[in-house]
């Protein structure tokens, strides 16, 4: 099992971040190399993503379940699935905090990942770097999406004025 | 250098290898070169998990792939009573997983299709639902009482497989209690893999009309495979024809029976068509016979002068998910009890515990006769630790402790009878040839300048020639070996042997032995092996056993022919048999050397002009059961320089002095030594199969499991002494494994010697540059 963690700030309110994260239709497209997704309900969605790790290349079929731990503040997410004879089992936790100056939200996350099969063995040496890169990309995408939606809101507000 | 095959009296000469033209020109014929009409291809679905329950297997989607003929699962094999098969070590092992998987890359299903591509594609579409279970990769963790029991199929609900010991515990204990000096060292011999260039594979071809199964397989032991197949499958043994064509390297990897073999055979039996299965490199490394994986602790009791008194060894052997080790039944830890090595210990006590973990099963003796490599490495490392403790030169320590030449036959404290040896002579030749004392002076000067240079010594005693039926067997089958020689009317010979070479040069070596015994040239003798319908029963080639066993059989078989030939010669020379003598090239009349007949003349007479009443023809068969094993020995010295900036170790010189008794072809012996040293070098510096805590195999390919090229390999210097085996018909001992047994310790001893000024006593293999760099950094040598 590998553990990853990190935190970053988003210059929008905690409520906006929370609403975004709880909406599979919004979070799903933030996954890099997303091929297709299928939202079952508010807590569950399936995503097909392209994976390329060294010589191992193909598509992963992932089932994602989101569980609310404390509304507005923390949630957990489990991702299970795999492909090409490999498996992945992720269990992530997210915590939201208001920034002191009220200028945005602090998102802390931890993630336990178990990978198995060729993806873990043949691509083994590359996993750490790749996992970090993908995770950073996911949150970068979430951040960008939130900022643009905030700007969108701001623009709409300006227009209303 | 090499000489013509036509030379008479070929024994001991560097004769050109008969097999080289076809190998060099790419005209060898390996299993994957064979294409049969209507042949199907098999691909195996493997587990991504190291330990998981199998909840369901769905094959519907895979069956939709065009060309798919059959998909086998464990349930299908259960109906045939083939889901589990016996291992060579007395355990049982799954063919295709039923209920749960026990290691990553374990075989779960087999897909048979019209093309290799279709089989591989369909294998991807077999849906297996797993439920992960806790994984145990550390054998010490596996032995803890609260560890998950991996093998719930066993009566004994524990991960402990067996306990084995040799020597006298109490007497050893007594010496340790009174001894003035005791050293102790933990040593790990990492998990490595033989990695032959040609991976494992087979074609099973069952003919429903004749009821005969022809099985082409890359095998080191075709007869043993045939018998095991007959026992497991219920097919009559005379209707199983095993053909082992050219084999692209074995090194122990091609002795066991693998699940893929069983699946290919079952598929061919069901479909009545030939089924080919050739594994990928990853499948070969991750799922077939690994080697070593011994966690060892050695203690030596000695006096202040450096005389060793007693040895105590405790070992945990990680066998993976099934105990499928290729060891003779009586020796669960193989010949590991040779661990007293070349030294005269009064007492020794060795114990080994076998343990199950979630790793690939099937410990094989990779270029080593049954764990001798681990033993030699351990004793040679610990002797250096003792030398360091006593502040004594490691060469001097060894000279004080060698078994003396007059002590042979030597009874070792763990029960072996060493046949012959002159350790001091071999070692002194090595010291002199490499210039040991000058090197020590150079080292002292370099140290004064802050440079890192190390000299590593390893002297070893091998135990090879697994054959004596009183001690050795595979699944109960005694390990003798055999030869059958036919002399044709024109004096040309075909010889068939029960062993099966994988590049060792048998076609030349055995032709030399037979040519020598019959007064012919090597060119006159064609050697055939590997076809069970024609060759006499034999136990195969591994553990350096071919020359000690089949070599003995070949010589004695030829002598049997010579006895008959002598009678015919007497008839041709018109004298009594007692008046005929053999001069090495012809039969001559005693006292009248000009009156003689050659073997070719006798051969023609055997079919045309016989003494009255004699059975025509000139052929014989011999099954040779050796009285004892043979004990080759050697002295190896490595000189290394270490780069202080990077931790990279450069092997500047390496000298191997071997004593393998009488040599049949010195060029072939040298080639074997070069190959073995290169493999030993790889083990010392490059190779390991690590697993992460989830049981993922982290080096199942040649990107992560490094195979040395000619650019990596050091220049090898070789020499030899000759101490013939007293009990072998031609005094030969076997050499193929000596360099792999002896060299790892020499490399590691050299690196540790270079780093000794920093208090380093041991580094586990493989010695990657970062390990050395880390030591240097901790000591402020490098930044």
């Amino acid at each position: 099992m590998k553990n990853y963690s990190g935190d970053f700030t988003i210059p929008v309110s905690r409520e906006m971040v929370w609403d975004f994260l709880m909406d599979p239709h919004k979070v799903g497209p933030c996954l890099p190399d997303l091929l297709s997704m299928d939202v079952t309900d508010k807590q569950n969605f399936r995503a097909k993503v392209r994976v390329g790790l060294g010589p191992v290349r193909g598509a992963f079929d992932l089932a994602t379940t989101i569980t609310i731990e404390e509304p507005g503040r923390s949630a957990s997410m489990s991702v299970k699935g795999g492909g090409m004879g490999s498996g992945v089992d992720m269990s992530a936790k997210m915590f939201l905090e208001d920034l002191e100056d009220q200028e945005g939200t602090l998102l802390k996350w931890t993630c336990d990942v178990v990978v198995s099969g060729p993806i873990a063995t043949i691509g083994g040496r590359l996993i750490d770097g790749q996992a970090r890169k993908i995770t950073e990309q996911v949150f970068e995408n979430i951040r960008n999406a939130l900022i643009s939606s905030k700007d969108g809101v701001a623009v709409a507000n300006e227009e209303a004025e | 250098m090499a000489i013509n095959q036509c030379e008479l009296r070929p024994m001991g000469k560097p004769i050109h290898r008969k097999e080289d033209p076809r190998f060099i020109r790419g005209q060898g014929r390996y299993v994957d070169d064979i294409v049969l009409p209507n042949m199907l291809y098999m691909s195996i679905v493997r587990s991504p998990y190291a330990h998981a329950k199998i909840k369901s297997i769905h094959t519907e989607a895979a069956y939709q792939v065009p060309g798919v003929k059959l998909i086998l699962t464990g349930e299908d094999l259960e109906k045939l009573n083939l889901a589990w098969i016996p291992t060579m070590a007395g355990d049982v092992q799954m063919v295709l997983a039923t209920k749960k998987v026990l290691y990553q890359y374990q075989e779960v299903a087999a897909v048979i299709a019209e093309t290799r591509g279709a089989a591989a594609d369909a294998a991807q579409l077999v849906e297996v639902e797993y439920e992960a279970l806790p994984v145990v990769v550390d054998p010490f963790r596996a032995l803890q009482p609260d560890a998950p029991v991996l093998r719930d199929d066993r009566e004994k609900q524990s991960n402990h497989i067996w306990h084995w010991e040799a020597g006298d515990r109490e007497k050893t204990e007594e010496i340790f209690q009174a001894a003035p000096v005791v050293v102790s060292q933990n040593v790990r011999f990492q998990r490595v893999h033989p990695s032959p260039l040609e991976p494992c594979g087979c074609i099973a071809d069952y003919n429903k009309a004749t009821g005969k199964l022809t099985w082409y397989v890359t095998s080191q032991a075709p007869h043993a495979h045939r018998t095991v197949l007959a026992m497991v499958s219920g097919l009559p043994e005379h209707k199983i024809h095993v053909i082992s064509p050219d084999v692209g390297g074995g090194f122990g990897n091609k002795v066991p029976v693998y699940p893929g073999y069983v699946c290919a055979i079952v598929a061919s039996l069901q479909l009545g068509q030939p089924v080919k299965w050739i594994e990928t490199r990853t499948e070969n490394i991750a799922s077939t016979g690994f080697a070593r994986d011994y966690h060892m602790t050695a203690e030596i009791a000695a006096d202040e002068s450096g005389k060793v008194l007693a040895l105590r060894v405790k070992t945990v052997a990680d066998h993976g998910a099934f105990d499928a080790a290729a060891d003779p039944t009586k020796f669960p830890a193989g010949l590991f009890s040779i661990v007293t090595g070349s030294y005269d210990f009064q007492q020794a006590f060795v114990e080994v515990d076998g343990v199950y973990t979630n790793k690939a099963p099937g410990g094989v003796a990779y270029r080593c006769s049954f764990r001798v490599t681990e033993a030699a490495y351990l004793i040679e490392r610990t002797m250096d630790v003792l030398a360091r403790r006593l502040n004594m030169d490691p060469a001097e320590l060894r000279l004080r402790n060698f078994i003396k030449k007059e002590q042979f036959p030597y009874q070792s404290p763990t029960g072996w009878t060493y046949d012959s040896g002159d350790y001091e002579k071999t070692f002194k030749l090595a010291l002199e040839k490499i210039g040991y004392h000058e090197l020590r002076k150079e080292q002292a000067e370099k140290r004064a300048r802050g440079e890192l240079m190390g000299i590593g010594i390893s002297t070893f005693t091998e135990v090879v020639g697994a054959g004596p039926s009183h001690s050795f067997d595979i699944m109960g089958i005694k390990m003798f070996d055999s030869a059958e020689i036919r002399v044709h009317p024109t004096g040309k010979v075909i010889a068939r042997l029960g062993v099966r070479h994988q590049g060792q040069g048998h076609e030349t070596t055995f032709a030399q032995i037979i040519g020598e015994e019959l007064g012919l040239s090597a060119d006159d003798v064609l050697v055939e092996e590997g076809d069970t319908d024609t060759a006499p029963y034999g136990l195969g080639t591994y553990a350096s056993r071919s020359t000690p066993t089949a070599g003995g059989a070949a010589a004695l078989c030829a002598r049997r022919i010579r006895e008959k030939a002598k009678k015919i010669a007497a008839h041709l020379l018109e004298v009594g048999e007692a008046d005929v003598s053999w001069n090495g090239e012809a039969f001559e009349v005693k006292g009248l050397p000009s009156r003689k007949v050659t073997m070719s003349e006798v051969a023609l007479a055997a079919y045309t002009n016989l003494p009255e009443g004699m059975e025509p023809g000139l052929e014989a068969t011999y099954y040779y059961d050796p009285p004892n094993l043979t004990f080759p020995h050697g002295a190896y010295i490595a000189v290394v320089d270490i780069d202080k900036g990077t931790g990279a170790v450069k092997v500047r010189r390496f000298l191997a002095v071997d004593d393998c008794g009488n040599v049949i072809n010195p060029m072939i012996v040298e080639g074997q030594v070069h190959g073995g040293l290169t493999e030993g070098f790889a083990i010392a510096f490059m190779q390991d199969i690590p697993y992460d805590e989830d049981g993922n195999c982290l080096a199942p390919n040649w990107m992560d499991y490094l195979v040395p090229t000619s650019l990596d390999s050091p220049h090898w210097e070789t020499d030899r002494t000759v101490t013939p085996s007293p009990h072998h018909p031609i005094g030969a001992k076997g050499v193929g494994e000596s360099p792999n047994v002896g060299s790892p310790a020499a490399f590691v001893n050299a690196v540790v010697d270079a780093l000794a000024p920093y208090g380093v006593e041991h580094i586990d293999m493989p010695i990657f540059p970062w390990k050395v760099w880390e030591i240097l950094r901790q000591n402020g040598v490098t930044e």
Side-chain angles (χ1 to χ4, degrees), chain B residues 120-163:
Chain B
D121 286 349
Q124 296 275 321
L125 296 174
V126 174
E127 291 158 25
V128 187
E129 202 185 339
Y130 297 99
E131 184 187 316
L133 294 168
V135 173
V136 184
V137 286
D138 178 356
F140 293 96
R141 165 75 188 122
L143 287 174
Q144 286 167 1
D146 64 332
V149 175
L150 305 182
R151 290 287 302 280
D152 37 27
D153 60 292
R154 279 175 96 224
E155 203 176 310
K156 183 175 170 183
Q157 292 295 304
S158 144
N159 297 321
H160 182 257
I161 313 174
W162 42 256
H163 174 85

Side-chain angles (χ1 to χ4, degrees), chain B residues 339-387:
Chain B
V339 68
T340 51
S342 310
Y343 311 112
D344 192 12
F345 284 93
Q346 293 167 24
Q347 290 296 341
F349 180 68
V350 183
E351 53 188 330
V352 186
D353 288 283
V355 180
Y356 290 125
T357 58
N358 288 121
K359 293 179 192 164
V364 299
Y366 165 28
R367 209 164 182 159
C368 137
S369 26
F370 313 119
R371 337 275 145 218
V372 178
T373 306
E374 292 90 323
Y377 177 66
L378 181 65
I379 186 67
E380 287 308 302
R381 271 285 42 242
T382 318
M383 285 299 275
D384 260 32
V385 171
L386 175 64

Side-chain angles (χ1 to χ4, degrees), chain B residues 427-665:
Chain B
F427 188 46
K428 283 189 167 163
L429 174 66
L431 292 178
E432 187 191 333
K433 185 149 182 168
I434 201 146
Y436 183 72
H437 299 289
E438 294 77 27
L439 284 170
R440 283 287 176 210
K441 269 182 222 149
E442 185 193 340
Q443 184 186 35
E445 289 162 12
K446 283 197 163 179
R447 268 192 191 155
R449 291 200 297 270
E451 292 171 36
L452 300 173
M453 169 184 164
I455 306 163
I457 294 171
S458 162
T459 62
F460 63 90
T461 298
E462 247 275 62
V463 45
V464 305
S469 62
H470 50 73
S471 304
F472 290 91
D473 66 74
I474 290 182
M475 291 177 80
I477 305 160
K478 305 291 184 190
M479 279 199 193
F480 51 80
D481 229 292
S482 59
E484 180 200 285
I485 301 174
R486 292 180 189 172
V487 186
H488 304 319
T490 54
K492 304 297 172 192
V493 176
I494 185 159
R496 293 183 171 122
L497 292 101
V499 288
R500 179 46 178 147
H501 68 89
Q502 316 113 40
Q504 290 94 334
H506 286 189
E507 290 169 35
T508 314
T509 306
F510 291 125
Q512 284 178 256
I513 296 175
I514 293 163
E516 179 77 22
E517 296 289 342
L518 295 182
L520 300 168
S521 76
D523 196 33
D524 291 329
V525 184
L526 176 73
V527 172
E528 271 189 11
E529 297 174 350
D531 185 323
T532 55
D533 271 13
T534 57
Y537 201 98
L539 273 296
T541 293
Y542 44 85
S544 279
R545 68 186 298 278
S546 293
T547 296
T549 59
L556 294 171
C557 185
R559 285 174 202 172
R560 204 169 254 183
I561 286 176
R562 216 165 63 202
E563 280 167 33
K564 182 174 182 184
K566 193 177 180 188
K567 292 188 171 66
I568 301 172
H571 166 71
L572 295 177
L573 293 165
E574 295 175 328
V575 292
E577 199 189 328
D579 295 321
V580 175
S581 67
W582 173 250
N583 70 10
E585 288 177 19
F587 293 100
E588 60 185 34
V589 177
K590 284 181 188 164
L592 268 175
S594 60
R595 283 200 63 207
K596 58 185 176 189
V597 287
T598 63
M599 188 59 78
S600 301
E601 288 163 333
V602 170
L604 190 63
Y607 297 87
T608 58
N609 176 16
L610 280 166
E612 212 172 303
M614 186 183 275
E615 182 188 11
L618 195 57
E619 53 187 75
T621 305
Y622 200 103
Y623 280 76
Y624 176 58
D625 183 5
N628 188 10
L629 291 123
T630 59
F631 296 78
H633 66 275
Y636 292 0
I637 302 176
V639 183
V640 303
D641 293 309
I642 295 178
D643 184 314
K644 283 202 288 188
T646 63
V649 178
K650 181 178 163 48
V651 178
R652 194 201 323 163
R653 287 185 70 190
F654 193 99
L655 170 69
V657 181
D658 277 287
D659 191 324
C660 58
N662 287 335
V663 167
I664 300 155
N665 185 325

